[in-house]
Amino acid sequence: WMTSESIILNLLVESVRESLQTIMTDGLNGPKKMDDLRKYYLELASRVCEGITPDHYDRWLKWAKENGLLISPWMFISSITSLSVAEVSKRISPWHMEHGKRVEDEYEKIKIV
């Protein structure tokens, strides 16, 4: 059995690995890959947030790089919403298991201005 914390950690590690692989194979300026990465981050963020834009992502990415922060979708969403990474994970994949059955969870989206 995996705990929710270990599942969240595995998701975070996989996300970081994908981001690093993209950067290492295509460089930071590979326009197609960076655009794909932006779309991926924004798609995940749209599950949690309402009103998220590419500009939010671009500003956060610049700030994260300048401050040497871990770059991952979970950290991006956590930074713009002030939710914990664990809460972000719950909202990205809003379901849990009860008695061996999948139960959908519902969360109100956070408005970003």
Side-chain angles (χ1 to χ4, degrees), residues 34-89:
M34 291 309 286
D35 191 48
D36 289 347
L37 211 52
R38 178 186 289 114
K39 286 178 186 174
Y40 174 67
Y41 276 54
L42 292 171
E43 190 278 321
L44 289 179
S46 72
R47 297 179 190 182
V48 179
C49 310
E50 183 178 300
I52 193 80
T53 67
D55 187 54
H56 289 109
Y57 171 78
D58 294 337
R59 285 185 287 149
W60 173 81
L61 184 61
K62 181 178 185 251
W63 173 80
K65 286 179 183 177
E66 288 171 354
N67 291 284
L69 299 177
L70 177 67
I71 297 174
S72 79
W74 284 260
M75 294 302 292
F76 167 54
I77 299 166
S78 177
S79 294
I80 62 173
T81 62
S82 298
L83 295 172
S84 70
V85 171
E87 184 64 23
V88 167
S89 235

Side-chain angles (χ1 to χ4, degrees), residues 1-111:
W1 293 95
M2 292 181 75
T3 64
S4 60
E5 289 83 12
S6 63
I7 291 170
I8 291 166
L9 182 59
N10 284 339
L11 289 170
L12 184 59
V13 167
E14 186 58 33
S15 171
V16 170
R17 186 181 346 220
E18 288 173 12
S19 295
L20 288 174
Q21 183 63 36
T22 298
I23 291 168
M24 291 177 72
T25 56
D26 299 313
L28 287 174
N29 298 319
K32 172 111 175 78
K33 287 293 183 178
M34 291 309 286
D35 191 48
D36 289 347
L37 211 52
R38 178 186 289 114
K39 286 178 186 174
Y40 174 67
Y41 276 54
L42 292 171
E43 190 278 321
L44 289 179
S46 72
R47 297 179 190 182
V48 179
C49 310
E50 183 178 300
I52 193 80
T53 67
D55 187 54
H56 289 109
Y57 171 78
D58 294 337
R59 285 185 287 149
W60 173 81
L61 184 61
K62 181 178 185 251
W63 173 80
K65 286 179 183 177
E66 288 171 354
N67 291 284
L69 299 177
L70 177 67
I71 297 174
S72 79
W74 284 260
M75 294 302 292
F76 167 54
I77 299 166
S78 177
S79 294
I80 62 173
T81 62
S82 298
L83 295 172
S84 70
V85 171
E87 184 64 23
V88 167
S89 235
K90 285 185 207 174
R91 289 171 178 245
I92 286 174
S93 299
W95 60 274
H96 66 277
M97 297 297 286
E98 279 184 21
H99 309 290
K101 294 184 180 180
R102 182 177 166 144
V103 177
E104 300 295 326
D105 297 323
E106 290 190 31
Y107 296 98
E108 187 173 323
K109 288 188 177 185
I110 297 171
K111 289 183 176 36

